[in-house]
Amino acid sequence: MKEIVVLLLLVSKVALAEPVYITQKNIAYYADTTGDAYRASQCRLDLYYPKGVKNFATVLWFHGGGITGGSKEIPKALTEKGFAVIGVGYRLSPNVKAPAYIEDAAAAIAWAFQHIEQYGGSNRLMFVSGHSAGGYLGMMVTLDKKYLQKYNIDANRIAALIPFSGQAITHFTIRQEHGIQDTQPIIDEYAPLYHVRLDAPPMLLITGDRELELLGRYEENAYLARMMKYVGHKQTHLFELQGFDHVGMAEPAFPLLVKLIQGRTKEITEKK
C-alpha cells in the first residue's frame, strides 16, 4: 500500500511538472541572406519556447541600444512563464540607415507569424515588446501598417504592443542620421505619433519616472496615449514607473508585461 501511495505521488508530480523549454539560436528570419554579409550576421533571432505545449503565446523582444548598439537577448524575467520569447537581432546605424532596421523588425515579426505554429504556438497570440530603441521599432511596425503589409500580414493581428520607454517621436538616431540634434523634436513618417489610428492593437505604454527618463520620453508617450484616445482608441494605457530611470524601469516593467500577456491570452482564447 505504501508503495502505491509513493507511486501515485510521483505520477502526480510528473503530471504537474512545468514544461521543458527549448532554445533555438541564430535562426535567420530573412528567406534570402545571400549577398549581404552584414544582414546575414545581424538579422537572426533566438527562439525560446515550451516544448510539447499547444497554442502558447509568443512575445517578440527587441533589444535597446539607441539603434547603434546592443544584441538579441531573451530576458530572464520572461522565461518559464508558459509562453515563447523571441529575441531579435537587427542591423544597426551607422552601418545602415532608416528604414532598414524598421524593415528588419517587420521581417522578424513576419517570421514569427509564419513559423510559430510549427513549434506549437498560436499566431493569434503575438505580442510585441522591447526596451528603448527596441520599443520604438515595435511601435513603428505595429502602427505603420505598410511594413507588415509587405508580407501580407495585417498589423492589427498583433495581440498587443507593450513598449518599454519607446520613443514616440522620430528616433534620435534617425535625426542624427540627418544632422538633427537629439534635442530637436521631429514628428515625421519615422515617428510612431505620425501613425496614430483608431484600429490599432491594444497598447500598454510603460515609461520610467518623467523626471528621471531619457530626454522627454514620458511626455512623448503621454502625448501618444492622449492622441490614441482622441481618435477613439479605447485600449491604450500609459504607466509611469515612478522612481525608476530609463534603464532601471525595465525590471519593474516585466511583471506588467507578463500580466498583460496572460490576461490578453485568456481574452483571445476564450473568444468564439
Side-chain angles (χ1 to χ4, degrees), residues 213-267:
E213 262 288 4
L214 182 65
L215 297 170
R217 199 58 56 92
Y218 166 79
E219 287 79 7
E220 294 175 28
N221 279 264
Y223 187 24
L224 176 58
R226 173 58 61 187
M227 295 308 295
M228 290 296 291
K229 291 177 181 178
Y230 185 78
V231 299
H233 192 271
K234 298 183 184 303
Q235 292 182 291
T236 297
H237 302 281
L238 174 65
F239 202 106
E240 178 186 8
L241 293 166
Q242 296 184 350
F244 293 92
D245 63 14
H246 182 70
V247 174
M249 62 77 61
E251 183 177 354
F254 280 121
L256 299 175
L257 172 57
V258 172
K259 183 178 180 180
L260 185 146
I261 292 173
Q262 293 171 341
R264 184 85 174 117
T265 295
K266 182 178 180 181
E267 176 186 343

Side-chain angles (χ1 to χ4, degrees), residues 87-269:
V88 183
Y90 50 87
R91 288 173 289 177
L92 302 171
S93 181
N95 296 291
V96 296
K97 290 180 169 41
Y101 28 77
I102 304 173
E103 293 169 346
D104 291 347
I109 293 172
W111 183 94
F113 270 107
Q114 295 163 354
H115 293 90
I116 201 63
E117 289 183 339
Q118 298 173 15
Y119 299 89
S122 169
N123 60 22
R124 296 176 62 211
L125 300 171
M126 289 292 174
F127 297 83
V128 175
S129 187
H131 182 233
S132 195
Y136 164 80
L137 294 175
M139 294 161 82
M140 281 300 302
V141 174
T142 302
L143 291 174
D144 187 351
K145 299 181 74 173
K146 73 181 180 186
Y147 291 104
L148 282 175
Q149 282 174 346
K150 177 180 178 180
Y151 302 94
N152 296 315
I153 296 172
D154 186 347
N156 289 355
R157 291 176 59 193
I158 292 171
L161 169 67
I162 315 96
F164 291 13
S165 291
Q167 190 138 34
I169 63 174
T170 299
H171 197 276
F172 63 79
T173 292
I174 298 178
R175 282 177 274 152
Q176 289 171 356
E177 290 174 359
H178 293 86
I180 302 170
Q181 291 185 348
D182 58 10
T183 53
Q184 174 61 60
I186 299 292
I187 297 176
D188 61 14
E189 64 176 318
Y190 295 123
L193 263 165
Y194 190 84
H195 304 283
V196 164
R197 55 189 178 86
L198 169 63
D199 62 335
M203 295 168 49
L204 175 61
L205 310 174
I206 310 175
T207 76
D209 190 311
R210 67 188 76 185
E211 299 300 333
L212 301 174
E213 262 288 4
L214 182 65
L215 297 170
R217 199 58 56 92
Y218 166 79
E219 287 79 7
E220 294 175 28
N221 279 264
Y223 187 24
L224 176 58
R226 173 58 61 187
M227 295 308 295
M228 290 296 291
K229 291 177 181 178
Y230 185 78
V231 299
H233 192 271
K234 298 183 184 303
Q235 292 182 291
T236 297
H237 302 281
L238 174 65
F239 202 106
E240 178 186 8
L241 293 166
Q242 296 184 350
F244 293 92
D245 63 14
H246 182 70
V247 174
M249 62 77 61
E251 183 177 354
F254 280 121
L256 299 175
L257 172 57
V258 172
K259 183 178 180 180
L260 185 146
I261 292 173
Q262 293 171 341
R264 184 85 174 117
T265 295
K266 182 178 180 181
E267 176 186 343
I268 292 173
T269 55

